[in-house]
């Protein structure tokens, strides 16, 4: 199943590269401006406390704006996952409708980022003080707890956009279902997160030209669309045992998508008119 997901995702992104570029570039530009603004706030000379406060406010604002634009692309990501054509005007029209949920998603991401930047270093210093004095093991325990909370929350929140785009739930339901999907599919969630981590690294290297937020949205939406077939199958087979529930017939469930995607070769991607 995961192999087909990778193939479908790559083909969908490739077929809609022009659209993703026009969405990725402004969002990557926003990210770059946000980075420099946060750096400026962190280097304020008027006092360390003021600089830290400015950094926190900057991160929160950047995450909220980024969250709005990211969710606005969710509708196009759903269209692409369903083999439909995306439209840039859909992205623009969705922005006003994503303000509330985008702000909430941005706040969640800001909390996770600040936990990494503030809480983990704080507890690390308690565990291993920089002055060479004896540390406290409670610092290590608290640092580990914060670390795993951030990891689990990050793996779960990646499902927020596709749930909203495919199921059209409100933010609270999206957040709840995100954790349900993660705990029910932990290894699949990790695999999708690694793909999106590659997307993020490639986005930085290409400055958003060949990768970026739009491709991350497509990746997450493709993954959830295919994974939901499992729950459709469980719904029509309610009497299965725990062992039987693990034997998901992916070959049968993915048959329609395989037919819609077709046999895509590398040559057909580069020279589609020769096929």
């Amino acid at each position: 199943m995961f192999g087909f997901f990778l193939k479908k995702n790559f083909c969908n992104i490739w077929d809609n590269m022009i659209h993703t570029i026009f969405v990725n570039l402004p969002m990557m530009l926003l990210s770059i401006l946000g980075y420099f603004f946060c750096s400026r706030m962190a280097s304020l000379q008027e006092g360390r406390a003021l600089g830290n406060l400015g950094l926190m406010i900057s991160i929160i604002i950047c995450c909220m704006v980024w969250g709005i634009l990211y969710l606005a692309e969710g509708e196009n990501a759903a269209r692409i996952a369903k083999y439909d054509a995306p439209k840039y005007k859909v992205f623009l029209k969705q922005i006003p409708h994503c303000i509330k949920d985008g702000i909430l998603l941005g706040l969640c991401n800001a909390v996770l980022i600040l936990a990494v930047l503030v809480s983990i270093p704080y507890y690390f210093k308690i565990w291993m003080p920089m002055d060479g004095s004896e540390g406290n093991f409670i610092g290590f325990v608290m640092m580990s707890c914060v670390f795993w909370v951030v990891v689990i929350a990050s793996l779960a929140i990646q499902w927020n956009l596709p749930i909203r785009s495919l199921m059209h739930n409100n933010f609270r339901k999206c957040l709840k279902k995100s954790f349900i999907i993660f705990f029910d599919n932990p290894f699949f969630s990790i695999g999708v997160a690694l793909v999106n981590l590659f997307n993020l690294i490639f986005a930085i290297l290409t400055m958003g030209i060949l990768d970026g937020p739009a491709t991350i949205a497509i990746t997450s939406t493709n993954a959830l669309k295919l994974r939901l077939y499992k729950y459709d199958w469980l719904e029509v087979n309610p009497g299965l045992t725990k062992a039987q529930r693990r034997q998901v017939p992916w070959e049968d469930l993915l048959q329609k998508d395989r037919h819609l995607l077709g046999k895509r070769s590398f040559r057909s991607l580069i020279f589609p008119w020769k096929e």
Side-chain angles (χ1 to χ4, degrees), residues 228-240 245 249 253:
L228 287 178
Y229 290 151
K230 166 186 171 182
Y231 298 99
D232 294 337
W233 173 72
L234 292 174
E235 188 175 350
V236 298
N237 296 278
L240 298 176
R245 289 166 63 92
L253 297 179

Side-chain angles (χ1 to χ4, degrees), residues 1 32 63 65 106 119 122 124 140 167 187 209 225 228 255:
M1 181 270 179
I32 294 171
C63 286
V65 175
S119 298
Y122 173 76
F124 180 81
F140 173 77
M167 302 180 183
F187 294 109
I209 297 177
K225 178 184 180 296
L228 287 178
Q255 186 174 3

Side-chain angles (χ1 to χ4, degrees), residues 7 10-11 14-15 261-275:
K7 178 182 178 181
F10 178 80
C11 292
W14 182 273
D15 292 342
L261 185 64
K263 294 183 178 180
R264 303 291 296 273
S265 63
F266 183 76
R267 181 183 179 185
S268 68
L269 294 175
I270 306 299
F271 308 108
W273 59 87
K274 292 188 176 182
E275 291 294 320

Side-chain angles (χ1 to χ4, degrees), residues 3-275:
F4 177 73
F5 153 67
L6 292 177
K7 178 182 178 181
K8 179 182 185 300
N9 191 61
F10 178 80
C11 292
N12 286 160
I13 292 173
W14 182 273
D15 292 342
N16 299 279
M17 186 175 294
I18 301 299
H19 169 79
T20 59
I21 290 175
F22 279 101
V23 176
N24 285 333
L25 284 177
M27 292 188 67
M28 289 300 294
L29 178 60
L30 175 66
S31 301
I32 294 171
L33 292 175
Y35 170 79
F36 283 110
F37 188 65
C38 291
S39 300
R40 175 58 181 167
M41 290 295 102
S43 61
L44 286 175
Q45 301 299 321
E46 287 77 3
R48 185 175 181 84
L50 182 60
N52 290 338
L53 179 61
L55 175 63
M56 291 181 185
I57 294 175
S58 302
I59 290 175
I60 292 172
I61 294 175
C62 290
C63 286
M64 289 192 298
V65 175
W66 201 90
I68 294 171
L69 297 179
Y70 179 62
L71 289 184
E73 180 58 11
E75 191 66 28
N76 275 323
R79 292 169 64 94
I80 292 173
K82 297 175 182 177
Y83 307 95
D84 199 357
K87 297 180 180 179
Y88 196 72
K89 65 178 181 180
V90 172
F91 167 70
L92 297 176
K93 289 177 63 176
Q94 284 295 312
I95 292 178
H97 304 290
C98 297
I99 292 177
K100 179 182 176 181
D101 289 356
I103 289 175
L104 294 174
L105 178 61
L107 287 174
C108 290
N109 288 327
V111 169
L112 297 179
I113 293 173
L114 291 174
V116 173
L117 296 178
V118 179
S119 298
I120 291 181
Y122 173 76
Y123 290 121
F124 180 81
K125 291 178 181 179
I126 294 177
W127 176 42
M128 299 185 66
M130 302 301 293
D131 58 5
S133 59
E134 184 177 357
N136 194 329
F137 187 72
I138 193 66
F140 173 77
V141 175
M142 294 302 298
M143 182 181 68
S144 300
C145 290
V146 172
F147 172 79
W148 285 112
V149 168
V150 169
V151 170
I152 292 173
S154 299
L155 290 172
I157 287 178
Q158 70 177 327
W159 298 119
N160 185 276
L161 177 142
I163 290 173
R164 185 180 187 275
S165 303
L166 295 173
M167 302 180 183
H168 304 287
N169 295 141
N170 59 38
F171 183 80
R172 184 177 180 180
K173 286 186 177 180
C174 287
L175 194 61
K176 180 180 178 180
K177 289 182 179 180
S178 294
F179 281 91
I180 292 175
I181 291 174
F182 164 70
F183 284 113
D184 193 39
N185 307 275
F187 294 109
F188 182 70
S189 297
I190 293 173
V192 175
L194 291 175
V195 175
N196 278 329
L197 179 61
F198 171 81
N199 287 333
L200 182 61
I201 294 173
F202 200 54
I204 295 173
L205 294 177
T206 62
M207 299 298 292
I209 297 177
L210 298 179
D211 216 327
T215 51
I216 292 175
I218 295 171
T219 298
S220 299
T221 307
N222 262 324
L224 182 63
K225 178 184 180 296
L226 297 179
R227 205 63 179 181
L228 287 178
Y229 290 151
K230 166 186 171 182
Y231 298 99
D232 294 337
W233 173 72
L234 292 174
E235 188 175 350
V236 298
N237 296 278
L240 298 176
T241 64
K242 188 175 181 180
Q244 290 174 326
R245 289 166 63 92
R246 296 174 181 171
Q247 305 299 320
V248 183
W250 286 114
E251 287 298 323
D252 295 333
L253 297 179
L254 297 176
Q255 186 174 3
K256 181 179 178 180
D257 278 82
R258 292 184 188 277
H259 175 72
L260 290 173
L261 185 64
K263 294 183 178 180
R264 303 291 296 273
S265 63
F266 183 76
R267 181 183 179 185
S268 68
L269 294 175
I270 306 299
F271 308 108
W273 59 87
K274 292 188 176 182
E275 291 294 320

